[in-house]
Amino acid sequence: MLKKTTLFLFLLSFFIGFSQQKTIDQKVEELLKKMTLEEKIGQLNQYTNDANPTGPLVVNPNKQNEIKSGLLGSMLNVNGAERTRKYQELAMQSRLKIPLLFGLDVIHGYKTTFPIPLAEAASWDLQAIELSARIAAVEASASGIHWTFAPMVDIGRDPRWGRVMEGAGEDTYLGSKIAFARVKGFQGKKLGDLNSVMACAKHFAAYGAAVGGREYNSVDMSNRMLWETYLPPFKAAVDAGAATFMNSFNDINGIPATGNKYIQRDILKGKWNFKGFVVSDWGSIGEMVTHGYSKDDKEAAYAAITAGSDMDMESNAYRNNLAQLVKDNRVPMTTIDDAVRRILRKKFELGLFDDPYRYSNQERQNEALSNPEHSKIAREVAAKSIVLLKNEKNVLPLSKETKTIAFIGPMVKSKRDNHGFWSIDLKEIDSTYIVSQWEGLQNKVGKNTKLLYAKGCGVLDESKAGFQEAIDVANQSDVVILSIGERHNMSGEAKSRSNIHLPGVQEELVKELQKTGKPIVILMNAGRPLVFNWTADNMPTILYTWWLGTEAGNAIADVLFGDYNPSGKLPMTFPRDEGQIPIYYNYFNTGRPSINEDKMYKSSYIDLPNTPQFSFGHGLSYTTFGYSDLKLSKTKMKSSETIEISLKLTNTGKIAGEEVVQLYLHDRYASVVRPVKELKDFQKIKLEAGESKTITFIIDKEKLSFYNSDLKWTAEPGEFGLMIGSSSSDIRLQSQFELIK
């Protein structure tokens, strides 16, 4: 009896205690009731740290007083346990002691820099991509950061746009998978864990379609294109639980995204039921005046808050105008409360009200930033991101018994360029932890191999003064490695280029070195697809090495000498010339397609092939793969059914390797024109030499669906072409099936 009574009392006390625990929503509502209008508006403001601006800076000398008065909700560009703690201490002097949120552009790593996002996308390895975001979150959260302004999930079909380096490329399916993986990586198991940071899906929406590939430019497209091509990666980010969204600088069909109710309230917060908050991009609320959409900052603030933009990054439009708009009865208090509620909820979820300094721990920061496992993983991810474009004479992999290697080019000894654009500049840490390509090769070769160096030329200058030295060095070698490309600050935000050819006299250096007759391996370093036609057509061995991060040199050496067999595939189509842009694999056929370069009254250029220099999904290996035995479980399916696709993949070469098996579909006729092919699934498979494996895919209604002219997501009965291959242009197996009513 005593045991039963004791158990009863224990359970009773447990349930009483449980019922007395307030939910986060209850805590938010209680705090809202205590806040003045000015304090509420303060939560909607974000200022930068004056020392590290990432946009046009307006210095605010009253910043610290505003924090102490509870008139600021967030800061960006403040990093480090010590710095974030000092600012948080100011916030704790405010009346209600509401903690600050600290945000930072942790785009591809914190101290440990991983490959730029476009390069990571070339790995087609979702686990590796999630892991790199996870490590970035571990390091950033240990340094006082609560929030990263990543991932950028804009679809990019125009390599002139510098920000393609920040995204996952041109394909909606691949981009959606990567968006989901990166959000999961940043946020970990749940917000509030000490190794988690809030993700921010950006730029909402369609920023990647800026006219002419020019940064901050307009976007004009049909709603069907918006829904089918550009919105799905954002929906994937919502499905992954992204805590925040950032709107974009561009207008969409004449309405600036920052003031666009259709995308923010109707789609994001309405149809998708997004519970997080939306932050403007840097100054984008005030920029609606420059757009010609708003008369002044007051009208811009009205448009933004009404449309669903919750936090104002650096324009001061909310700070200076929202209170009066409320007093004038133009903006309901319920609208203000909704925005504040969304921000406070995240602060509670992060545990900042329990301990505002929980992320600002110097000891934890030191431990996280010195973890050797992070560098090891960065090296692996970097190797996975390298794409072997050509290896016609099997020069690669190099033998470790090679006697003399000439390492030539402007990128050979650079450290900063390997870091890439949007990397974190940690003032207290020098650059010795970045492995240059020269150092990577030194680490790899034995004492019996002699390394020779010549710069040859710069990246941008027109001087050929170093050519002769490069030629002399090449003539002394058994093999030449030539590292060329663009600098780290030539792709990224505000880095649009009308001419994306290989800059300077680098291609002329390639031509001169070819005359030596030595075998030459080209390393192409860039943040975007470049145009390098002569090199692409005449040089038999090319690796696209992007910007690979802190372990770039080691990773490149691993691939050069075959310690890692390259497996990367291009996430963007490489044009032959800017005149082909925008260029992408999943185009519409038109009524007059050019077939076999027949150009007479066909959809073609008279001076250029329609085909790209390198196709989406292209990437070679040091081994070869055979595709065979394609089987379909049925050739007709109803909407409620599925088809199982199987094939045999065989490593037909002599070494182990990985292949990305790509599945494409073509809806042959529909109520709206469909692309010639669309990526609908892929698998990355590792096989030992001679090994075979059966690969299976499932085709369901979802894979056959599209947005019709009424923006209804539907799958229409009809015939579908099935294509499976090694790239969008290297289809190995084909079949067809039919969707019936």
Side-chain angles (χ1 to χ4, degrees), residues 454-504:
K455 184 177 180 180
C457 65
V459 172
L460 286 169
D461 63 58
E462 298 297 320
S463 174
K464 300 179 184 179
F467 277 25
Q468 190 57 53
E469 180 189 10
I471 293 168
D472 292 343
V473 165
N475 281 326
Q476 300 174 50
S477 71
D478 297 309
V479 64
V480 176
I481 303 172
L482 179 58
S483 186
I484 54 180
E486 62 175 7
R487 300 295 303 273
H488 75 278
N489 57 0
M490 293 176 69
S491 286
E493 183 175 1
K495 307 299 180 186
S496 297
R497 292 176 57 193
S498 66
N499 181 338
I500 59 171
H501 281 64
L502 189 62

Side-chain angles (χ1 to χ4, degrees), residues 368-565:
L369 299 191
S370 59
N371 188 336
E373 189 67 19
H374 294 179
S375 295
K376 178 183 176 183
I377 295 170
R379 181 172 180 167
E380 293 171 355
V381 175
K384 288 174 180 286
S385 302
I386 295 171
V387 182
L388 179 61
L389 295 180
K390 294 180 69 177
N391 195 25
E392 292 176 354
K393 297 183 179 180
N394 294 319
V395 171
L396 293 178
L398 299 176
S399 169
K400 292 177 183 176
E401 304 303 317
T402 305
K403 296 297 184 183
T404 306
I405 298 174
F407 207 175
I408 299 172
M411 300 297 188
V412 173
K413 293 192 175 183
S414 173
K415 285 181 176 285
R416 181 65 184 86
D417 289 304
N418 294 319
H419 231 196
F421 198 85
W422 276 129
S423 55
I424 306 299
D425 185 14
L426 298 177
K427 303 293 185 184
E428 63 271 26
I429 302 175
D430 62 31
S431 63
T432 57
Y433 69 103
I434 304 172
V435 182
S436 71
Q437 296 174 20
W438 177 257
E439 291 167 337
L441 214 63
Q442 284 183 316
N443 295 337
K444 181 65 63 175
V445 299
K447 295 180 180 179
N448 295 328
T449 298
K450 185 177 182 181
L451 289 181
L452 304 177
Y453 166 72
K455 184 177 180 180
C457 65
V459 172
L460 286 169
D461 63 58
E462 298 297 320
S463 174
K464 300 179 184 179
F467 277 25
Q468 190 57 53
E469 180 189 10
I471 293 168
D472 292 343
V473 165
N475 281 326
Q476 300 174 50
S477 71
D478 297 309
V479 64
V480 176
I481 303 172
L482 179 58
S483 186
I484 54 180
E486 62 175 7
R487 300 295 303 273
H488 75 278
N489 57 0
M490 293 176 69
S491 286
E493 183 175 1
K495 307 299 180 186
S496 297
R497 292 176 57 193
S498 66
N499 181 338
I500 59 171
H501 281 64
L502 189 62
V505 295
Q506 294 180 92
E507 198 149 48
E508 293 178 57
L509 177 61
V510 177
K511 294 176 182 178
E512 292 302 313
L513 290 175
Q514 189 213 33
K515 295 176 184 177
T516 66
K518 299 291 184 177
I520 299 175
V521 177
I522 302 291
L523 306 181
M524 196 67 71
N525 307 264
R528 52 154 60 91
L530 293 177
V531 173
F532 47 99
N533 290 328
W534 191 92
T535 300
D537 292 339
N538 294 280
M539 303 307 291
T541 311
I542 304 173
L543 284 167
Y544 215 80
T545 54
W546 314 97
W547 296 322
L548 295 174
T550 50
E551 287 292 317
N554 286 330
I556 290 170
D558 287 341
V559 169
L560 285 171
F561 288 91
D563 291 323
Y564 181 80
N565 186 351

Side-chain angles (χ1 to χ4, degrees), residues 13-23 26-27 30:
S13 64
F14 174 81
F15 285 114
I16 291 174
F18 182 80
S19 65
Q20 290 175 343
Q21 287 183 350
K22 295 176 182 176
T23 66
Q26 289 172 329
K27 293 176 182 178
E30 287 185 4

Side-chain angles (χ1 to χ4, degrees), residues 397 562 565 621-624 651 653-657 687-690:
N565 186 351
S621 169
Y622 296 153
T623 189
T624 54
N651 183 339
K654 297 179 180 180
I655 61 173
L687 296 175
E688 298 298 321

Side-chain angles (χ1 to χ4, degrees), residues 231-251:
L231 289 184
F234 289 100
K235 179 58 166 61
V238 172
D239 292 342
T244 68
F245 265 52
M246 180 186 290
N247 54 43
S248 50
F249 288 115
N250 57 283
D251 67 87

